[in-house]
């Protein structure tokens, strides 16, 4: 199965690929669902993979949902999944702070209620959730009250992001022993109809610029998200397939971790973009070239049913 990359997957080749893997990682939005609609055939693909003895996991950069919230959504859309199979950045950032950073203290959170819940589930307290309204003058902002037991700043998606939150994060991060972690660097969130809204990466870059510090990130394409799965379920990289719709996150994660990669065209990226990366001669862009592509993951059904 070695050779050229960005190959259309079908027929006997699809059977060979599936036979060569024990575990499959799926991105969610744009891969198994779009918005609030399942991709046609996707629930059956997941079901058949499990019937064939494959381990299936769901890895998403979205930090606005807990694992339970994802399982509830999947159930509504016809998927059978457990919390153990879901790895979102709300959960992974909590695990990172707990196990890698061994955080002893509280988190200043720029993020969602889901992130608060996942932090608290591993015993980490937070402050900062919700709006932080501006007050006073610039001298007041520079001397804003800080909680002494805050030992980390965590940045995820936050609909209440504001100048005062940015300022408060800066003040915490002037303490050099304060850890700095971001969920992911996605700069845009594509919506149905070709529109988009700013993503977490925009908020994270703002904090990095203000603090003049670089955050560690846990989401795709950082290998930490795969490490979360691999350490818990003993997943062997060489026998694992990453399925995604974004070259810069999903496919790059697979490349970073030595996984086989499959691009599905029901989401963001296109074959033309993948081929342009392949022809670029740029080593970083080569990491954004999938091994295979399909129009939809439903294209795997014949190989699974045969």
């Amino acid at each position: 199965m070695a050779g050229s990359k960005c190959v259309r997957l079908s027929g006997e080749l699809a059977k060979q690929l599936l036979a060569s893997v024990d575990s499959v990682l799926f991105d969610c939005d744009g891969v198994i669902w779009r918005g609030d609609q399942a991709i046609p055939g996707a629930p059956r693909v997941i079901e058949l993979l499990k019937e064939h003895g494959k381990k299936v996991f769901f890895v998403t950069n979205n930090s606005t949902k807990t694992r339970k919230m994802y399982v509830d959504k999947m159930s509504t859309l016809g998927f059978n999944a457990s919390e153990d199979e879901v790895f979102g950045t709300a959960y992974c950032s909590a695990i990172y702070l707990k196990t890698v950073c061994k955080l002893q203290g509280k988190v200043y959170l720029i993020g969602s209620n889901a992130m608060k819940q996942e932090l608290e589930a591993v015993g980490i307290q937070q402050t900062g959730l919700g709006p932080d309204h501006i007050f006073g003058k610039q001298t007041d902002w520079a001397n804003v009250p800080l909680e002494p037991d805050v030992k980390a700043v965590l940045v995820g998606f936050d609909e209440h992001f504001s100048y005062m939150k940015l300022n408060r994060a800066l003040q915490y991060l002037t303490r050099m022993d304060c850890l700095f972690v971001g969920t992911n660097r996605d700069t845009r969130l594509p919506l149905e109809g070709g529109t988009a809204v700013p993503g977490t990466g925009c908020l994270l870059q703002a904090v990095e610029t203000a603090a003049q510090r670089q955050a560690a990130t846990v989401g795709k394409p950082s290998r930490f998200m795969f490490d979360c799965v691999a350490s818990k379920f003993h997943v062997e990289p060489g026998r694992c397939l990453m399925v995604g719709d974004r070259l810069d996150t999903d496919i790059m994660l697979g490349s970073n971790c030595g996984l086989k990669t499959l691009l599905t065209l029901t989401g963001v990226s296109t074959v033309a973009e993948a081929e342009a990366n392949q022809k670029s001669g740029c080593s970083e862009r080569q990491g954004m070239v999938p091994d295979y592509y399909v129009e939809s993951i439903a294209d795997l059904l014949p190989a699974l049913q045969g």
Side-chain angles (χ1 to χ4, degrees):
M1 293 173 61
S4 60
K5 299 186 74 174
C6 203
V7 175
R8 188 184 186 102
L9 187 67
S10 61
E12 190 60 32
L13 187 59
K15 290 182 181 179
Q16 291 175 24
L17 174 62
L18 293 173
S20 73
V21 300
D22 303 317
S23 305
V24 186
L25 273 60
F26 286 96
D27 177 47
C28 295
D29 200 3
V31 176
I32 62 172
W33 67 63
R34 290 181 65 171
D36 292 319
Q37 298 290 324
I39 297 290
R44 183 62 176 153
V45 168
I46 304 300
E47 182 181 16
L48 286 170
L49 283 168
K50 291 183 177 182
E51 286 182 9
H52 282 70
K54 311 297 183 186
K55 295 176 183 176
V56 176
F57 304 101
F58 306 93
V59 290
T60 171
N61 277 358
N62 188 327
S63 63
T64 65
K65 290 183 173 67
T66 62
R67 288 170 296 161
K68 182 182 185 306
M69 291 164 71
Y70 270 110
V71 169
D72 290 345
K73 175 168 183 171
M74 289 182 192
S75 178
T76 300
L77 296 180
F79 296 94
N80 181 20
S82 68
E83 285 188 37
D84 277 352
E85 295 170 331
V86 178
F87 291 81
T89 50
Y91 169 72
C92 289
S93 57
I95 295 299
Y96 181 81
L97 286 165
K98 184 74 173 180
T99 63
V100 177
C101 301
K102 302 189 185 306
L103 179 68
Q104 298 292 321
K106 191 181 287 188
V107 166
Y108 176 62
L109 176 63
I110 295 177
S112 63
N113 188 55
M115 294 175 67
K116 172 180 179 287
Q117 291 179 52
E118 294 288 17
L119 286 167
E120 291 180 346
V122 298
I124 297 175
Q125 297 301 305
Q126 64 76 45
T127 183
L129 186 68
D132 190 352
H133 300 294
I134 199 122
F135 67 91
K137 300 177 181 179
Q138 289 179 345
T139 51
D140 299 310
W141 306 342
N143 294 284
V144 67
L146 302 178
E147 297 188 30
D149 54 349
V150 166
K151 303 298 182 184
V153 170
L154 173 60
V155 180
F157 185 79
D158 190 339
E159 61 189 28
H160 299 293
F161 188 75
S162 64
Y163 181 84
M164 187 52 76
K165 284 197 160 190
L166 175 62
N167 171 67
R168 204 177 293 270
L170 161 60
Q171 305 310 325
Y172 279 119
L173 289 168
T174 57
R175 304 170 176 174
M176 293 317 295
D177 64 341
C178 185
L179 300 167
F180 186 15
V181 178
T183 55
N184 63 290
R185 295 187 179 276
D186 300 40
T187 54
R188 287 159 64 95
L189 301 177
L191 305 176
E192 292 294 307
T195 59
V197 294
T200 301
C202 299
L203 314 187
L204 183 58
Q205 286 181 40
V207 179
E208 288 180 327
T209 301
Q212 297 181 359
R213 288 180 60 180
Q214 189 86 359
T217 51
V218 300
K220 299 172 291 185
S222 164
R223 65 172 299 121
F224 180 75
M225 186 164 267
F226 174 72
D227 290 343
C228 271
V229 181
S231 62
K232 192 170 181 179
F233 291 95
H234 310 292
V235 174
E236 184 183 334
R239 294 192 60 82
C240 182
L241 174 67
M242 176 69 221
V243 185
D245 70 310
R246 292 183 70 134
L247 299 173
D248 60 339
T249 55
D250 305 321
I251 303 307
M252 182 67 90
L253 172 72
S255 297
N256 287 344
C257 299
L259 318 180
K260 298 175 174 69
T261 54
L262 174 63
L263 175 70
T264 176
L265 304 179
T266 48
V268 175
S269 297
T270 66
V271 173
E273 290 168 340
E275 290 175 341
N277 288 338
Q278 193 168 23
K279 295 172 185 174
S280 69
C282 170
S283 58
E284 183 177 358
R285 290 180 66 182
Q286 294 296 321
M288 293 187 279
V289 181
D291 295 315
Y292 309 97
Y293 72 90
V294 288
E295 292 292 329
S296 160
I297 66 162
D299 293 358
L300 297 177
L301 284 172
L304 288 166
Q305 292 168 334

